[in-house]
Amino acid sequence: MDAEKLLLRARHKARLSQRELAERTGVAQPTIARIESGAASPRCATLDRLLEACGYDVELVPRGGVGVDRSAMRELLALEPAERLRRAAEEAGALARLLPSG
């Protein structure tokens, strides 16, 4: 999510005006307006300070789907549907043999 959307959402949820946020953080209100409009990109420290004043933290999380090896999926999708079903049945049988019966 973009910094402008993050800040705008956090500020609204905190029920703060741009002026109130500026007073709490020392970041000028016109700067906050430029960030929220997408006209300026804040430094990480500035965004962190603004979000903290709204009651939020910046957190680093892995981006979904990055680093996933999709080659096996592509190989399976290249097969005819009947072949995919046959392989699925084989895998289900192998899994059933691994599970304890009862």
Side-chain angles (χ1 to χ4, degrees), residues 34-48:
R34 285 196 312 274
I35 292 168
E36 288 184 354
S37 70
S41 292
R43 293 181 179 165
C44 288
T46 301
L47 182 61
D48 184 49

Side-chain angles (χ1 to χ4, degrees), residues 23-83:
E23 289 170 1
R24 287 184 180 196
T25 61
V27 176
Q29 182 274 325
T31 301
I32 294 171
R34 285 196 312 274
I35 292 168
E36 288 184 354
S37 70
S41 292
R43 293 181 179 165
C44 288
T46 301
L47 182 61
D48 184 49
R49 187 169 63 205
L50 291 167
L51 292 175
E52 182 180 346
C54 295
Y56 290 89
D57 260 337
V58 175
E59 185 176 329
L60 183 66
V61 295
R63 191 175 291 253
V66 174
V68 174
D69 181 7
R70 292 181 170 79
S71 58
M73 290 182 263
R74 284 190 201 103
E75 289 173 15
L76 286 174
L77 290 172
L79 299 173
E80 293 293 322
E83 177 61 15

